[in-house]
Amino acid sequence: MKNYADEHSRRYIGVEGAYNVRDLGGYPTQDGKTTRWRTLLRGDNLRALSPASQQLLLDYGVRTVIDLRDPGELKRDNPPHVFTGHPEVHYANLPVYTYELARNFYKRVENTFDINRLILQECGGQLKAIIEAIAAGDAPTIFHCSVGKDRTGMVAALNLSLAKVAPEIIAEDYALTARYLEPARENFKADAARMKLDTELHERLMRADAETMLQTLQYLQTEFGGAEAYLKAAGVSAETLEKIRARLVE
C-alpha cells in the first residue's frame, strides 16, 4: 500500500508555538473518493501560537476551533487559549475526558491502546458532542488537545473512519504524531518529572505507533461495530453523520 503519510509537505502546517498541526485532506477513501483539503485540521496545544501563526491559521481559513482539553488543563495554561473570544473564530471547549476518567487516569492505563480503549468505553457522550460540533461548525475546523495524540487522534480516527478511509491509512496519520512531536520530547519529560509521573510509564504513553491505532480500530469494530455504529449508539443522528461525510469527502 502506498504510504500516504509520507506525502506530508502539504498536509503539515508549520506554526510557531505548536508542533503537530496538520490537514486531514488528501487521503483516499475505500470507495474511490478523497478527503477534502481545508476542511478538518488536527493539532496540539495552540495556547502559545505567535500572532503570525494565529494569522496563518486564519488565512488558511480556520473559523472553528474545538479545544478537547479538560478545564483543569485550561486553568494551568496562561493564557488558556489564543482564540478565546476571537472575533473571527468560534471557539468551543469540549473536553473528551470525563472527570472520573481524568481523576485516576494514570492508575488505569499501561500503554497508548489503554488510553484509546478507555476513551471509547467511557467518553461516548463527549465524543457525541464533539462530532456534532464539527458537523455544525464553519469549516475549516481545527480540533486539538495538549499534544495532538490521544484525544485528537481518536477524534481524527472517527472522522476518517466515517469518510471510509482505510484503517492502515488512518494508522499512518496517527503515527505522524511521533515524527512531529520529537522536538518537544525533552519538554514532555520535564513536565512528567514536575508532575512526579512514573518515567517508564510516561515514555510508553507518549508513543504513537501505527500498530496502536490499528489495534484501536479493530477494537472499535469488534466491540462496537465500527465508527458509525459507535456514534449512533452514543446518540449521534444519521443526518449528522452524513453531514460529516458530505463535508469531508469529495
Side-chain angles (χ1 to χ4, degrees):
M1 176 178 290
K2 182 177 180 180
N3 191 332
Y4 292 95
D6 275 346
E7 298 177 350
H8 66 278
S9 58
R10 183 180 175 190
R11 185 166 293 117
Y12 178 71
I13 303 173
V15 292
E16 183 182 4
Y19 298 91
N20 192 22
V21 177
R22 41 202 166 89
D23 198 313
L24 291 177
Y27 286 126
T29 69
Q30 292 173 298
D31 55 357
K33 300 179 181 179
T34 306
T35 56
R36 197 185 309 272
W37 292 99
R38 294 184 180 236
T39 301
L40 275 186
L41 284 69
R42 58 180 294 169
D44 53 329
N45 200 334
L46 304 182
R47 72 174 182 85
L49 287 184
S50 67
S53 291
Q54 295 172 43
Q55 189 60 50
L56 186 153
L57 290 182
L58 292 173
D59 291 344
Y60 200 80
V62 169
R63 291 298 177 266
T64 303
V65 176
I66 299 176
D67 187 343
L68 306 177
R69 297 174 298 157
D70 66 58
E73 291 173 280
L74 269 63
K75 288 180 181 178
R76 290 193 295 270
D77 286 344
N78 186 26
H81 207 291
V82 295
F83 286 120
T84 303
H86 196 286
E88 298 182 54
V89 171
H90 174 67
Y91 167 83
N93 177 220
L94 297 172
V96 169
Y97 295 148
T98 61
Y99 170 76
E100 291 78 10
L101 178 56
R103 184 176 58 178
N104 297 307
F105 186 79
Y106 286 99
K107 296 179 181 179
R108 303 179 62 188
V109 296
E110 291 292 332
N111 50 52
T112 49
F113 170 70
D114 284 346
I115 298 174
N116 295 342
R117 176 178 52 79
L118 282 177
I119 289 173
L120 290 170
Q121 287 177 343
E122 300 192 18
C123 302
Q126 288 81 357
L127 291 169
K128 170 183 181 290
I130 292 160
I131 291 295
E132 290 175 341
I134 290 173
D138 292 330
T141 295
I142 185 168
F143 54 89
H144 73 92
C145 55
S146 289
V147 299
K149 182 174 74 71
D150 303 315
R151 291 165 288 187
T152 296
M154 201 69 254
V155 173
L158 288 171
N159 278 279
L160 291 174
S161 293
L162 290 175
K164 299 183 180 179
V165 174
E168 293 79 8
I169 295 176
I170 297 173
E172 289 176 6
D173 179 81
Y174 171 79
L176 280 173
T177 288
R179 178 187 305 181
Y180 293 125
L181 290 184
E182 185 60 36
R185 181 170 294 278
E186 293 306 314
N187 294 340
F188 295 143
K189 286 182 179 179
D191 288 343
R194 186 166 53 252
M195 295 168 64
K196 298 181 180 180
L197 300 178
D198 178 87
T199 302
E200 183 180 345
L201 173 61
H202 185 261
E203 280 291 316
R204 290 201 302 274
L205 296 184
M206 285 307 299
R207 296 180 64 179
D209 302 323
E211 292 77 10
T212 296
M213 181 50 68
L214 287 173
Q215 185 181 7
T216 300
L217 293 171
Q218 183 59 55
Y219 176 80
L220 178 63
Q221 182 64 43
T222 302
E223 296 297 319
F224 302 100
E228 181 170 352
Y230 174 84
L231 291 169
K232 283 183 176 178
V236 181
S237 70
E239 180 183 6
T240 295
L241 296 176
E242 185 54 39
K243 188 172 182 178
I244 291 280
R245 273 192 289 265
R247 177 176 289 184
L248 188 54
V249 175
E250 60 181 1

